[in-house]
Amino acid sequence: MRFTLIAVAAMAFACPVQAEDARTIIARAAEVAGGEAWLSPATLRLEGRAAFYAPDKPGVVRRAESYVMWRVLDPNRTAAHGPDGKVRITARSGGRLLFDVGYDGETTWNERGVVPKAEADAYWAANFGFGIIRMALKQGFKLELAPNRTIDGHALDMVRIVDPGGQATLFGIDAKSRYIRYMGFATPRGWHERVYDDFVFFRSPRWLQARSVTLFYNGVRQNTVYWDKVVVGQPIDPATFAMPVSYGAKP
């Protein structure tokens, strides 16, 4: 009996269960998230609310009852951490504007006017990165497995996506559901992480959405966004991305 147990154990070590490779993990995550509709959305509008934190205080210091993001996505994006296509994010509290930032495809602006390019590049490099997972299966991208993690009780398979320019982004894919629960990357502000939770499926098109997204810099919580509404693939007025005249744009 002892010999038999030892032999079985030896066979188990000699013939481990084959784990999925990085490409298979990302492909499965994309399929679960919505397939082609999720991989190639022309536009996206997310509406919800947000809570903001200060690095030296334990609780919420500011809330946005209205937090809206409009996106026109670039189907040929290759850079992981910069604006692609067009984007605008507006946050309001009690009707009062907290911040408004946009990128019209060429120029970044906010409620104070045009943002200088160097400042804008640093801002987007510290804030954008999730969408690159939609490009990861295309030519020119490199996929690597990383050590697995457990976050909020969820076992994650970790995959590093390296874009054609050499920028790396770490994604954590739920080992059971294949939901995308984590993203991390190096930024001018330090190590940036996002944790995704409270998932729900929408229809027409089929779309998996995390209704809770929490952002961290160097391990310190910065804010949590709670998405209540998602609109995929519908036309967005180009004027949405233009800097308002009240911010200094020429009429």
Side-chain angles (χ1 to χ4, degrees), residues 63-66 90-99:
R63 296 185 186 275
E65 287 81 22
S66 173
T90 304
R92 297 180 182 276
S93 177
R96 179 174 61 89
L97 182 67
L98 296 180
F99 65 84

Side-chain angles (χ1 to χ4, degrees), residues 45-62:
R45 187 175 86 243
L46 296 170
E47 300 179 12
R49 51 205 160 80
F52 299 89
Y53 299 81
D56 57 348
K57 295 180 175 63
V60 176
V61 297
R62 187 173 58 171

Side-chain angles (χ1 to χ4, degrees), residues 9-94:
M11 290 176 62
F13 280 110
C15 304
V17 176
Q18 183 64 41
E20 289 185 313
D21 61 25
R23 187 175 185 84
T24 301
I25 291 170
I26 295 298
R28 180 57 180 152
E31 178 58 32
V32 168
E36 280 302 316
W38 183 84
L39 283 169
S40 303
T43 65
L44 183 63
R45 187 175 86 243
L46 296 170
E47 300 179 12
R49 51 205 160 80
F52 299 89
Y53 299 81
D56 57 348
K57 295 180 175 63
V60 176
V61 297
R62 187 173 58 171
R63 296 185 186 275
E65 287 81 22
S66 173
Y67 193 89
V68 185
M69 178 172 69
W70 297 264
R71 298 291 311 276
V72 172
L73 294 101
D74 180 359
N76 300 310
R77 176 181 182 175
T78 57
H81 306 303
D84 69 286
K86 299 179 181 181
V87 60
R88 181 174 182 174
I89 304 171
T90 304
R92 297 180 182 276
S93 177

Side-chain angles (χ1 to χ4, degrees), residues 99-237:
F99 65 84
D100 194 10
V101 59
Y103 175 72
D104 62 10
E106 296 181 359
T107 302
T108 297
W109 53 265
N110 59 29
E111 67 276 11
R112 295 181 296 276
V114 173
V115 179
K117 188 177 185 308
E119 181 182 337
D121 289 347
Y123 174 82
W124 295 119
N127 286 278
F128 266 45
F130 180 86
I132 206 63
I133 195 171
R134 294 188 173 95
M135 307 292 120
L137 300 177
K138 295 184 177 183
Q139 187 175 0
F141 288 83
K142 181 181 179 182
L143 303 180
E144 305 171 339
L145 290 175
N148 296 340
R149 290 184 62 178
T150 298
I151 295 178
D152 293 341
H154 302 284
L156 306 182
D157 290 328
M158 306 300 290
V159 177
R160 184 179 297 106
I161 299 174
V162 183
D163 71 19
Q167 293 181 309
T169 310
L170 194 62
F171 282 90
I173 313 300
D174 193 298
K176 293 182 178 180
S177 66
R178 286 311 185 208
Y179 295 172
I180 303 167
R181 291 191 176 273
Y182 172 90
M183 178 183 72
F185 57 95
T187 81
R189 293 179 57 182
W191 182 248
H192 178 42
E193 297 175 290
R194 297 190 182 188
V195 176
Y196 304 87
D197 207 347
D198 190 18
F199 290 86
V200 64
F201 274 106
F202 292 93
R203 297 180 179 179
S204 299
R206 183 171 66 92
W207 184 275
L208 178 65
Q209 180 64 45
R211 291 184 291 186
S212 170
V213 185
T214 300
L215 287 69
F216 302 84
Y217 286 93
N218 299 316
V220 179
R221 184 177 186 175
Q222 174 181 274
N223 67 290
T224 298
V225 178
Y226 304 93
W227 297 121
D228 301 316
K229 183 178 180 180
V230 181
V231 179
V232 181
Q234 296 300 309
I236 298 177
D237 186 345

